[in-house]
Amino acid sequence: MHQHFASDNNAGMCPEALAALVEANAQPHAPAYGDDSWTERARAAVRNLLEAPDATVHFVFNGTAANAIALAHLCRPYNSIIAHASSHIATDEAGAPGYFTGGAWLRVADGEHAKLTPIDIERLTAGGRGVHSTRPRVVSITQSTEHGTVYTPDELAKLAAAARNAGLLVHMDGARLANAVAHLACPAADVTWKAGVDVLCLGGVKNGLGVGEALVIFDGQLGAEVEWRIKQAGHLNSKMRLVTAPWARLIESGAWHANARHANAMAGRLARHITEMGGIPIMSPVEANAVFVDIPVAVQRAVRERGWRFYTFAGETVCRLMCAWDTTVESVDMFAADLKSAIVLAT
Ligand SMILES: *Cc1c(COP(=O)(O)O)cnc(C)c1O
């Protein structure tokens, strides 16, 4: 047994990205620090993907760095960031946004299916005690969400309108933006800058890269000097082409879209199996590449004893089953069969 449902980052690099890495590495020498032709291509590919020819595009080590650097670029130390309580920045980054901003705080809301609402934004920005409270500056939205749900372009536009109304900028954690775009079958622009997003952390690693997330700032002025922040944070890779060649190929080959469509389809297949077997409630709409399910502890144990890995996410029984770009139909079917027989044994 070699595949798991713990995370989409349990998968390796996709063939397109790996081939580009090997090609870039075979070039005799290339300029350092991103002044090379692969990085130029990767930037162009990201701008093309987003239909944003003037966007500032940089590449950093991972998603935590992209989020923390982006938020530090937008916030002063006395600011606050509006986010969902389940967001990666709130729960999975060891306080990096606070550390990188030099003091900014998160103000969180805990709506259903890991989604923020315009009312949350109104509520979290209203009142306060002037100079005695942090000053809200950014709304951070995760697309697709930490619960595998997807904001529609309309929902995003309403969030952005509420943000603008409160004088806030909009940051998007797009670690799984590809899965949202695959679900909506819409251009990436429709759920980013056209929906009011100012700064995007664009994910590639969970979608088939080995390293490197993109930091995209749509407004040229807002993007000014961010390269110093990146360098100071230790995120300017000197052999940048080894990060950006796979990025360029991931997008140019269409794999960025295709990998996400595949991962979503596998989650859909898994959800259908689970619905059919009965007894395991699905906790959030399955719109991206995750299936959130309520599995009794004894059943979880039995499935894990068969060698499968997956995370328990909330309480003792809500589990996340995550599909990756390379999850096979066979893995999904085998997992479902093992889950079904574990339920039978436990009841
Ligand atoms: C995986 C993930 C990230 C990035 O995590 P790193 O491990 O720092 O690369 C960011 N946001 C979300 C929602 C994620 O799922």
Coordinates of all heavy atoms in Angstrom, one line a residue, residues 62-64 67 88 93 142 146 173 175-176 206, ligand 1:
N62 N 7.6 28.2 0.8 CA 6.3 27.4 1.0 C 5.1 28.4 1.3 O 5.3 29.6 1.2 CB 6.5 26.4 2.2 CG 6.7 27.1 3.5 OD1 6.7 28.4 3.6 ND2 7.0 26.3 4.6
G63 N 4.0 27.8 1.6 CA 2.8 28.5 1.8 C 2.8 29.4 3.0 O 2.2 30.5 3.0
T64 N 3.4 28.9 4.1 CA 3.5 29.7 5.3 C 4.3 30.9 5.1 O 3.8 32.0 5.5 CB 4.2 28.8 6.4 OG1 3.4 27.7 6.7 CG2 4.3 29.6 7.7
N67 N 2.2 33.4 2.8 CA 1.2 34.1 3.6 C 1.8 35.1 4.6 O 1.3 36.3 4.6 CB 0.4 33.1 4.5 CG -0.6 32.3 3.6 OD1 -1.1 32.7 2.6 ND2 -1.0 31.1 4.1
H88 N -5.5 28.3 7.7 CA -4.1 27.9 7.9 C -3.3 28.9 8.7 O -2.6 28.6 9.6 CB -3.5 27.7 6.5 CG -2.3 26.7 6.5 ND1 -1.0 27.2 6.6 CD2 -2.2 25.4 6.3 CE1 -0.2 26.1 6.6 NE2 -0.9 25.1 6.4
E93 N 0.4 27.8 11.3 CA 1.6 28.5 10.9 C 2.4 29.0 12.1 O 3.2 29.9 12.0 CB 1.2 29.7 9.9 CG 0.5 29.1 8.7 CD 0.3 30.0 7.5 OE1 0.6 31.2 7.6 OE2 -0.1 29.5 6.4
T142 N -9.4 31.9 2.4 CA -8.8 30.7 1.8 C -9.6 30.1 0.7 O -10.8 29.8 1.0 CB -8.5 29.7 2.9 OG1 -7.9 30.3 4.0 CG2 -7.7 28.5 2.4
E146 N -10.2 25.3 4.0 CA -9.6 24.3 4.8 C -10.6 23.1 5.0 O -10.1 22.0 5.4 CB -9.1 24.8 6.2 CG -7.8 25.6 6.1 CD -8.0 27.0 5.6 OE1 -9.2 27.5 5.3 OE2 -7.0 27.8 5.5
D173 N -5.4 33.1 0.5 CA -4.5 32.0 0.7 C -5.0 31.0 -0.4 O -6.0 30.3 -0.2 CB -4.6 31.4 2.1 CG -3.8 30.1 2.3 OD1 -3.4 29.5 1.2 OD2 -3.6 29.7 3.4
A175 N -3.5 28.2 -1.5 CA -2.7 27.0 -1.5 C -3.4 25.9 -2.4 O -2.8 25.1 -3.1 CB -2.6 26.4 -0.1
R176 N -4.8 25.9 -2.4 CA -5.5 25.0 -3.3 C -6.4 25.8 -4.2 O -7.6 25.4 -4.5 CB -6.3 24.0 -2.4 CG -5.5 23.1 -1.6 CD -6.3 22.0 -1.0 NE -5.4 21.2 -0.1 CZ -5.3 21.5 1.2 NH1 -5.9 22.5 1.8 NH2 -4.5 20.7 2.0
K206 N 1.0 21.5 -3.5 CA 0.0 20.5 -3.3 C -0.5 20.0 -4.6 O -1.2 18.9 -4.7 CB -1.1 21.0 -2.4 CG -0.7 21.1 -1.0 CD -1.7 21.6 0.0 CE -1.2 21.6 1.4 NZ -1.5 22.8 2.1
Ligands
LIG1 C1 -0.9 23.5 2.8 C2 -1.4 24.9 3.0 C3 -0.6 26.0 3.1 C4 0.9 26.0 3.0 O1 1.5 25.2 3.9 P1 3.1 25.0 3.9 O2 3.2 23.7 4.6 O3 3.6 26.2 4.7 O4 3.5 25.0 2.5 C5 -1.3 27.2 3.2 N1 -2.6 27.3 3.3 C6 -3.4 26.3 3.2 C7 -4.9 26.4 3.3 C8 -2.8 25.0 3.1 O5 -3.6 23.9 3.1

